[in-house]
Amino acid sequence: MDTSITKLQRNPKDIYQEATRLLIKIAENILKNPLNQKLRTLQKSNTTVSNKILDVFGGIDCLVLMGFEERSSCLTLPLDASLEKLKQVKDDIIKYEKLYIENNGRVPEAPQVANVQENDELEEVIKKIELPPFDRKYANDFLNNIAYRFHFAQIYDNEELQERARKLIPISQLEVNAQENLRTLQKELKKGELDDLEITIQDMLILELLNWFKNDFFTWVDSPPCENCNGISKFSHMSDDPNLLKYTNRVEMHKCESCGALTPFPRYNDLNILMATRKGRCGEWANCFMLFCRTMGWDTRHVFDETDHVWTEVHLLQDHA
């Protein structure tokens, strides 16, 4: 199913069906009179066009799919646009509306993974890192889970992943900042303004990496903003749509409190994807930060809590106890 049409179906039922009716009518009028330029031009100032198509989530996407091109004051279907494509999109809209009605208005969950990276296809982002097969040695699921996490930790030392991480981390600037902050602390120690603590350059560099990662690189997401109206959304359910589950086995669906549209939030575990999306919660945070710390050459461990939490710990060279 084309994502432009599934976007349209995420609107409230009455809005979706009215937009569908108008899109079908626009296509049919052009197909009946293909040389009529007036029919091939949709003015943005037209209240019906604006309110019932352009302002509707997925409306412009469907027009573009038909072949329309956006101008400053209108959308127009060029004379050399494919009428066969226009007819195909119209037929698809009719077909998917029929399925929508047959499914009692159940909204298909369209894949949203294309936004992993603005200019690259997802397939180009993913370079799957294969680990050796995992051998389930224990009858106890908990022990197997722990064993698997030790097994998975090998991925953080993968040279290809570390090379990509190295290109993302502003190492030189972090080192400069760490040196400057260390000098500042040393001056304060000499003045007696601080207790006599043994602080190493690694301590300061870890803090600089953490500060950069938290404030500049990674975005914490509890619930994504609604992709329809940018409103506040809340978790609704887990998706079972195979299209959404192509690159992860967990995709949360969040429902907008204002317009009711559903927004998918994939919980990626693949480090190549995470270095592109740069968002998530504790799982994505710890996974990505662990790789960055290992890339810096630090002894690091990924801590797993059975009560649904994970974090990263770094071994300091100097014992401050």
Side-chain angles (χ1 to χ4, degrees), residues 110-257:
Q112 296 295 312
V113 291
N115 63 5
V116 165
Q117 198 171 47
E118 290 184 1
N119 300 318
D120 293 337
E121 294 295 331
L122 186 58
E123 285 76 8
E124 296 178 6
V125 173
I126 297 177
K127 294 180 180 178
K128 193 69 175 178
I129 307 299
E130 297 292 344
L131 288 173
F134 173 65
D135 181 19
R136 294 176 62 89
K137 299 179 180 179
Y138 307 101
N140 185 290
D141 288 339
F142 175 78
L143 293 178
N144 277 317
N145 191 7
I146 297 300
Y148 175 75
R149 292 179 183 279
F150 275 99
H151 175 79
F152 183 81
Q154 298 175 79
I155 206 164
Y156 300 116
D157 287 334
N158 179 271
E159 292 182 2
E160 186 176 346
L161 286 173
Q162 288 194 3
E163 179 60 27
R164 185 174 180 193
R166 205 169 284 114
K167 293 177 181 178
L168 295 172
I169 304 171
I171 297 177
S172 297
Q173 186 58 53
L174 297 183
E175 289 175 341
V176 170
N177 294 346
Q179 288 282 4
E180 291 178 351
N181 290 334
L182 181 60
R183 291 193 189 99
T184 299
L185 287 178
Q186 289 171 339
K187 290 178 181 178
E188 292 177 354
L189 284 170
K190 288 181 179 179
K191 294 178 181 178
E193 296 175 358
L194 288 177
D195 293 333
D196 188 11
L197 297 175
E198 294 186 17
I199 301 174
T200 69
I201 188 63
Q202 181 189 331
D203 298 340
M204 304 307 297
L205 194 52
I206 289 172
L207 292 176
E208 287 301 317
L209 178 69
L210 177 60
N211 180 63
W212 166 79
F213 186 88
K214 179 180 179 180
N215 297 309
D216 298 326
F217 182 82
F218 195 87
T219 300
W220 186 278
V221 177
D222 287 317
S223 277
C226 174
E227 61 182 15
N228 179 25
C229 68
N230 206 39
I232 297 174
S233 66
K234 285 189 176 181
F235 173 77
S236 172
H237 61 278
M238 299 301 292
S239 173
D240 58 1
D241 187 331
N243 291 318
L244 285 172
L245 296 169
K246 184 176 181 180
Y247 298 108
T248 178
N249 60 5
R250 292 189 305 143
V251 176
E252 301 171 355
M253 300 303 296
H254 292 250
K255 188 173 184 179
C256 180
E257 295 182 343

Side-chain angles (χ1 to χ4, degrees), residues 4 16 50 53 69 105 114 120 144 203 216-217 223 226 241 259 262-263 269 273 286 289 303-304:
S4 301
Y16 160 64
S50 177
I53 297 181
E69 295 179 357
D120 293 337
N144 277 317
D203 298 340
D216 298 326
F217 182 82
S223 277
C226 174
D241 187 331
C259 70
L262 290 171
T263 297
N269 194 44
I273 297 180
F289 192 63
V303 185
F304 168 67

